[in-house]
Each structure stands twice: as C-alpha cells, then as structure tokens.
C-alpha cells in the first residue's frame, strides 16, 4: 500500500469551491494509486465563525483567565467541524471518507495544554481504515492524553505537525502541505515583487527560513519529516503547479533564479517584525555580570534572541509585548541599558554560504547602498541577520533579494 498524507489549511476548506478543489486533489491521489490520509485545519482565518482565533475570543469574552483545559477543548472544535464538513464533501462525490479527531487517529500527546508534544501515534486503526478503502479525514492541531483522554492542542502550526507526524508513523511516500500559494518562495511576495517559487530546498534551510519569520510551513513539522526522511511538498490547493520539494540533499533552486545552481549561495530572504532591541552596558571587571543578566531574564520568563555578548556590552532582541517587562527586570536588577523599539529582523538563508568569503560584505553593502542602518548583526554557518528599524524592512528585503540574485 502506498500511503500519502495530504494536509489542507484553513483557506482550503473555508468554502464550497475550495472544498471541491480539495476533493479533486484527494481523487487525483486515489487515481494515482495512493491511499490518502487527509489532515485539515479549522475553516477560514481570524474572523471566520469557526476559525481558531474566533473560538479563543468567544471564550475570553466570558473569562480572560479561562482554564487551559477548557480552552484546548474549545479550540479543538474548529478542526472537528472542518473534518466533518470535509468528510461529508468527499462522501457526496462518492469517496468513502470518515471524519476523525486527532485522538481517534491515534495521536497521543503529553498534557501540556496549548503546546502539547506528540509522544507517539498508534496507527493500527488508521491502517485498518486504509486497508478497507476508507479515506480518514483527521483533525489537525490536536491530540489526546493517553490515560485520561483529554483533548490537547499542539500550538501554532499544529496541523502541519500533525501531518508530518502521521506521515512518519505511517511510513508515507510523502506528505503534501496544501495552502493558498504555489510553494515556498525566495521572499515574501507581498513585500518583494520579484520573489520566485523554489522548486526544491533542504529541510535545514526551510527550518531556518521558518524560524526567521517565513510563514509557509511550521519548523516543527519540518524537523519531524527530517527525522524520518519523509519528503514534504508545499503546493497550492487551487492550481496544478508542482510546488516545492523539501527533502534531504536538496540544493535550493528556483525557476526565476539568475544564477546556476552551483553558483547560488542563498535560498531566500526572511523577515520578522515587532521586535525591540536592548543594549546593556556590562562591567568588564565583573565576569559574572553577563550570567546574572540572562539568569534574571530567564527567571522572569523572558525569551531573548539575536544575542551578541562581549565583556563590555550585551545586545539582544525581544518581542514588543515583552518590552515593558524587560525594562522592569533590567531596572530592578540595576543594569544600565538603551532600548530601540519598532525594530525588524531581516535574514538571508542559504547552506551555500558556508565557508564562502565576502558573503557578509555583500549583505552589508546591499543595506548600506539603501542608507539602511544596521543596529546589530547575528550570523551562523547558514544565515546572516540584521536588526534594523521596522520602517526600513521592505526596502531591506528587496535590496537583499537583488544582491543575492534570488
């Protein structure tokens, strides 16, 4: 039996026309000899009646500090509705389908409500359904605790995670992630008009793009697929474009690239907004000052990123909602600091950058030519990032996209 997992996002199941397109993708997989397992998100996006954010708002209007167990139970309703409606659509067109919660599909999680981790997947029931010619339509984003059968949710991007985990557990030929774009692009097309669709890209590069702000696929899903070496495809529900293949050993390649594969050193440009940069003065005579600084922040539950540390200064970024909390911690602990709000981070990602001279020079020059001030840089073997003012972010993304010939 050749198994394929097909995940459809909220826009793919939000209307009758969209669900018909989903039916066509499922039927095509059956015609090609696959046994499909369908995973669905809640219908629509924020503001739609069954979207997850709408359900959250419904409960918080009653009680802002509602218990996380009840919140998870309500949030699971969005995917349950979507699963039932999609199964009914497939049945209408002669496809034998059955709606299933995450727990009924065998997804067992820990009891960390709102951000549960999958412990294991019991696939025996799913396999019996597939052997009987039934298409399971599984609720993404959710699972169930093993002993007391409580509903849990997997956090943002949880439907991608559900699909990847099911693909790994079922030893699927591949996992297809369907969305409203035709694949992973070299930059956000809403910001960079010349962005191109990538034909293929490695697991590691996609993870870096996702962690640095790209929103096409959740990095946890990519990590699960990488661990099991399950190929991922990101495709559009609404076209027959081949999409983007994510797999091991894939060098990033796009149809619109100006350079040959062996000359390309970058895969894409990612961006993230709503950041605040802090610069903290340290006493070079007090070697424990840096340790104390980050222990204090950690004890206060503040997550920092873009960290630079020297004997005289520490620089890092936090998300804007954590700004005042961070200020308070620094003032209470006696650290002197400067704060830059309304910041953004722009990142060039590419495994081809590793060990290549001049990459940083190209990055800095691209921004300097547009008179964009760099507040801070952070780099790794496969990424270069800069903290800049948020008002310059679009121009920076365009400049970097052009400079690295993406």
């Amino acid at each position: 039996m050749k198994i394929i997992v097909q995940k459809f996002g909220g826009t793919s199941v939000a209307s009758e026309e969209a669900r018909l397109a989903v039916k066509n993708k499922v039927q095509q997989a059956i015609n090609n000899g696959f046994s499909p397992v369908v995973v669905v998100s809640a219908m629509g996006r924020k503001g739609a009646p069954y979207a997850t954010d709408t359900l959250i708002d419904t409960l918080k209007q009653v009680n802002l500090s509602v218990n996380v167990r009840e919140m998870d139970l309500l949030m699971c309703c969005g995917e349950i509705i979507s699963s039932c409606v999609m199964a009914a659509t497939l049945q209408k067109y002669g496809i034998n389908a059955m709606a299933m919660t995450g727990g009924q599909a065998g997804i067992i999680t820990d009891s960390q409500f709102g951000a549960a981790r999958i412990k294991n997947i019991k696939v025996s029931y799913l396999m019996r359904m597939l052997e009987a010619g039934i298409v399971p339509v599984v609720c993404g984003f959710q699972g169930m605790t093993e002993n007391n059968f409580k509903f849990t949710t997997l956090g943002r991007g949880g439907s991608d995670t559900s699909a990847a985990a099911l693909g790994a557990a079922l030893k699927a030929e591949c996992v297809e992630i369907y969305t409203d774009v035709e694949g992973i692009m070299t930059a956000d097309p809403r910001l960079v008009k010349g962005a191109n669709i990538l034909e293929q890209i490695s697991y590691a590069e996609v993870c870096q793009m996702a962690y640095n702000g790209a929103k096409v696929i959740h990095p946890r899903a990519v990590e699960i697929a990488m661990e099991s070496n399950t190929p991922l495809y990101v495709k559009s529900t609404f076209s027959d474009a081949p999409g983007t293949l994510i797999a091991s050993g894939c060098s990033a390649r796009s149809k619109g690239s100006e350079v040959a594969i062996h000359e390309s050193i970058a895969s894409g440009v990612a961006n993230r907004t709503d950041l605040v940069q802090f610069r903290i003065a340290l006493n070079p005579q007090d070697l424990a000052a840096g340790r104390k600084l980050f222990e204090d922040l950690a004890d206060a539950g503040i997550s920092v990123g873009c960290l630079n540390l020297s004997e005289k200064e520490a620089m890092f970024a936090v998300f804007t909602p954590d700004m005042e909390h961070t200020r308070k911690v620094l003032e209470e602990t006696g650290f002197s600091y400067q704060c830059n709000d309304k910041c953004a981070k722009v990142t060039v990602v590419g495994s081809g950058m590793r060990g290549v001279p001049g990459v940083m020079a190209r990055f800095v020059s691209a921004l300097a030519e547009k008179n964009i001030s760099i507040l801070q840089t952070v780099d790794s073997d496969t990424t270069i990032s800069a903290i800049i003012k948020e008002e310059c972010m679009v121009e920076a993304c365009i400049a970097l996209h052009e400079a690295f010939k993406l």
Side-chain angles (χ1 to χ4, degrees), residues 180-201:
D180 52 3
V181 296
E182 293 188 346
I184 296 171
M185 303 191 76
T186 51
D188 186 338
R190 295 168 298 182
L191 307 182
V192 181
K193 301 304 181 187
N196 297 299
I197 296 170
L198 290 161
E199 294 181 355
Q200 61 182 43
I201 189 171

Side-chain angles (χ1 to χ4, degrees), residues 145-166:
T145 59
E146 189 161 19
N147 296 323
N148 48 21
F149 308 111
K150 293 179 181 177
F151 281 89
T152 55
T153 64
L154 307 179
R156 291 295 180 183
S159 292
D160 290 348
T161 303
S162 300
L166 285 168

Side-chain angles (χ1 to χ4, degrees), residues 7-12 45 160 176-184 215-217 233-239:
K7 179 261 175 177
F8 296 93
T11 56
S12 297
R45 290 179 176 164
D160 290 348
E176 296 178 333
I177 306 292
Y178 283 95
T179 180
D180 52 3
V181 296
E182 293 188 346
I184 296 171
K215 297 180 175 64
V216 176
I217 187 169
Y233 287 89
V234 176
K235 298 182 176 185
S236 170
T237 308
F238 310 103
S239 82

Side-chain angles (χ1 to χ4, degrees), residues 83-361:
S83 173
C84 291
V85 171
M86 195 64 243
T89 301
L90 295 176
Q91 293 164 6
K92 177 180 177 180
Y93 290 96
I95 297 174
N96 192 3
M98 181 183 294
M100 304 179 71
T101 67
Q104 288 170 339
I107 299 175
I108 306 302
T109 75
D110 61 21
S111 56
Q112 185 65 40
F113 295 107
R117 302 281 287 190
I118 297 174
K119 294 173 66 176
N120 66 296
I121 299 182
K122 301 176 180 179
V123 299
S124 55
Y125 185 38
L126 279 177
M127 290 301 297
R128 288 200 300 272
M129 291 179 65
L130 293 171
E131 288 163 359
I134 299 169
V135 176
V137 183
V138 180
C139 298
F141 180 62
Q142 64 177 246
M144 187 173 284
T145 59
E146 189 161 19
N147 296 323
N148 48 21
F149 308 111
K150 293 179 181 177
F151 281 89
T152 55
T153 64
L154 307 179
R156 291 295 180 183
S159 292
D160 290 348
T161 303
S162 300
L166 285 168
L170 292 165
K171 297 180 172 54
E173 302 291 317
C174 67
V175 174
E176 296 178 333
I177 306 292
Y178 283 95
T179 180
D180 52 3
V181 296
E182 293 188 346
I184 296 171
M185 303 191 76
T186 51
D188 186 338
R190 295 168 298 182
L191 307 182
V192 181
K193 301 304 181 187
N196 297 299
I197 296 170
L198 290 161
E199 294 181 355
Q200 61 182 43
I201 189 171
S202 69
Y203 295 119
E205 288 172 307
V206 167
C207 279
Q208 286 290 355
M209 289 181 70
Y211 280 124
N212 283 287
K215 297 180 175 64
V216 176
I217 187 169
H218 197 273
R220 179 60 187 144
V222 180
E223 290 167 352
I224 291 170
M226 181 164 55
E227 290 167 6
S228 61
N229 203 28
T230 305
L232 292 170
Y233 287 89
V234 176
K235 298 182 176 185
S236 170
T237 308
F238 310 103
S239 82
D240 292 324
T244 302
L245 167 64
I246 307 168
S248 59
C250 282
S251 298
R253 179 171 68 201
S254 67
K255 290 181 179 179
S257 176
E258 298 176 16
V259 295
I261 299 169
H262 67 279
E263 296 175 336
S264 179
I265 60 173
S267 308
V269 176
N271 59 277
R272 186 181 291 280
T273 60
D274 211 22
L275 295 175
V276 180
Q277 185 212 35
F278 283 87
R279 302 171 71 107
I280 291 88
L282 299 177
N283 181 356
Q285 305 304 316
D286 183 0
L287 298 181
R291 183 187 69 188
K292 181 179 185 304
L293 167 65
F294 294 108
E295 284 178 349
D296 291 341
L297 293 168
D299 290 343
I302 298 169
S303 176
V304 304
C306 306
L307 173 63
N308 285 150
L309 182 63
S310 69
E311 65 176 9
K312 292 186 177 182
E313 185 180 48
M315 291 187 289
F316 60 83
V318 301
F319 287 109
T320 300
D322 289 327
M323 179 175 68
E324 292 305 324
H325 193 191
T326 304
R327 283 178 180 271
K328 183 178 179 182
V329 170
L330 294 175
E331 289 164 3
E332 287 177 349
T333 51
F335 284 101
S336 176
Y337 68 89
Q338 293 179 336
C339 176
N340 285 309
D341 62 355
K342 297 181 181 178
C343 291
K345 181 171 76 167
V346 289
T347 304
V348 173
V349 176
S351 58
M353 296 192 298
R354 188 180 289 114
V356 177
V359 177
M360 180 62 85

